Amino acid sequence: MSAGGLPGRAGPRPGRGPKDPSLRRSLALFRAFLHEQDDPDACYALLARDAADQVEAYDGPVAGRVVVDVGGGSGHFTEEFRARGAHAYLFEPDVRELAEKPPEGTVVADGYLLPLADGAADVTFSSNVLEHVADPQTFLSELVRVTRPGGLVYVSFTNWLSPWGGHEWAPWHYLGAERARARHQRRTGRPAKHTLGENLFPVHVGATLRHVRARDDVRIVSARSRYWPFLTETVVKVPGLREFATWNLLLILRRCPV
């Protein structure tokens, strides 16, 4: 096991970008999200750098290690990990989400059944995918399966009751999904990308934490708000409040020894 994979390492170390968490970092990410539609490359390149910083903060440098990016779409995360020296591979189930020139070696594969051997990855990475799968528990089990004992699992998702839970039709999802989608179409003149129950599902912080804590094949290194500038772990500990205030739950998990 490499030094970066030591189970005792639980806290973040300084990364390459702004301090995490910090107001400066949160503002930079928020500004990028505001321009997601008109400049997606800049938005996701920044998010990829930030996510890679988080992985390295908890698990050491990724150089020379195998990183499996599940549901990474355009490939920005995979490319960022490769830029840092990792052997990174993208597994994406929806060809419509791929970039015009996806990273070399990209595999079109279902996240429920990855074409990988048990324990193939040092780091298994999934950013903002869990809310788009109908069976999040099976999806999580597959991420764990392909991670080696002692390896890291990085999972983040936008929880349904957060202000961004309805994605492009948020925050009107609080008034009902169909009403929010209809409003989006009236305002923009085009159908919403996401439909509740088809490609967007109501995933909740409390239920997800209970499921992960009940597993005997992983332990939680950190459960925190991914983007919030302060009290990132504290807010996740408060039932009720966490469903609204977390915005996006980040789980850093360590695969337990077999």
Side-chain angles (χ1 to χ4, degrees):
M1 182 183 299
S2 65
L6 287 173
R9 177 168 291 152
R13 301 194 314 275
R16 305 184 184 193
K19 180 183 176 183
D20 175 20
S22 68
L23 184 60
R24 177 188 171 202
R25 168 184 171 270
S26 295
L27 286 174
L29 290 170
F30 183 68
R31 292 191 188 103
F33 285 136
L34 291 179
H35 295 283
E36 178 189 7
Q37 296 300 313
D38 55 87
D39 193 1
D41 284 338
C43 173
Y44 286 103
L46 175 62
L47 187 60
R49 291 194 297 272
D50 184 78
D53 280 349
Q54 289 179 320
V55 169
E56 292 192 325
Y58 284 101
D59 206 43
V62 296
R65 304 169 74 191
V66 176
V67 179
V68 171
D69 175 11
V70 182
S74 58
H76 286 91
F77 298 108
T78 298
E79 296 288 14
E80 178 63 29
F81 285 123
R82 288 183 179 180
R84 300 184 185 213
H87 305 293
Y89 303 94
L90 172 61
F91 292 81
E92 170 59 49
D94 190 347
V95 294
R96 295 170 297 182
E97 295 294 329
L98 295 174
E100 183 177 349
K101 293 183 178 180
E104 184 179 354
T106 293
V107 179
V108 177
D110 194 323
Y112 294 136
L113 191 62
L114 295 169
L116 290 168
D118 295 356
D122 295 300
V123 177
T124 305
F125 178 90
S126 177
S127 173
N128 296 332
V129 178
L130 201 64
E131 70 268 34
H132 300 295
V133 300
D135 187 351
Q137 294 186 7
T138 298
F139 183 84
L140 284 170
S141 291
E142 187 67 351
L143 298 185
V144 174
R145 181 188 70 79
V146 302
T147 307
R148 66 167 176 81
L152 197 80
V153 182
Y154 177 112
V155 179
S156 83
F157 68 92
T158 304
N159 46 296
W160 174 244
L161 290 177
S162 78
W164 207 250
H167 286 50
E168 74 273 22
W169 26 275
W172 304 99
H173 64 297
Y174 289 130
L175 302 179
E178 290 307 313
R179 180 179 297 181
R181 292 185 75 252
R183 181 186 182 279
H184 176 275
Q185 183 159 352
R186 288 196 304 271
R187 184 173 60 86
T188 64
R190 61 181 183 274
K193 176 181 178 180
H194 296 99
T195 301
L196 192 66
E198 293 183 10
N199 57 1
L200 182 64
F201 299 88
V203 185
H204 302 287
V205 174
T208 303
L209 289 175
R210 286 191 293 273
H211 166 71
V212 173
R213 286 170 179 156
R215 301 183 66 107
D216 59 6
D217 52 4
V218 292
R219 67 175 179 85
I220 298 177
V221 176
S222 181
R224 52 164 286 189
S225 171
R226 182 178 182 181
Y227 306 128
W228 206 238
F230 48 81
L231 299 177
T232 58
E233 293 190 341
T234 301
V235 69
V236 175
K237 297 177 181 177
V238 185
L241 176 65
R242 63 191 176 195
E243 302 296 342
F244 298 91
T246 300
W247 280 68
N248 187 287
L249 179 67
L250 171 60
L251 290 173
I252 303 292
L253 309 176
R254 182 76 64 188
R255 175 73 190 273
C256 295
V258 177

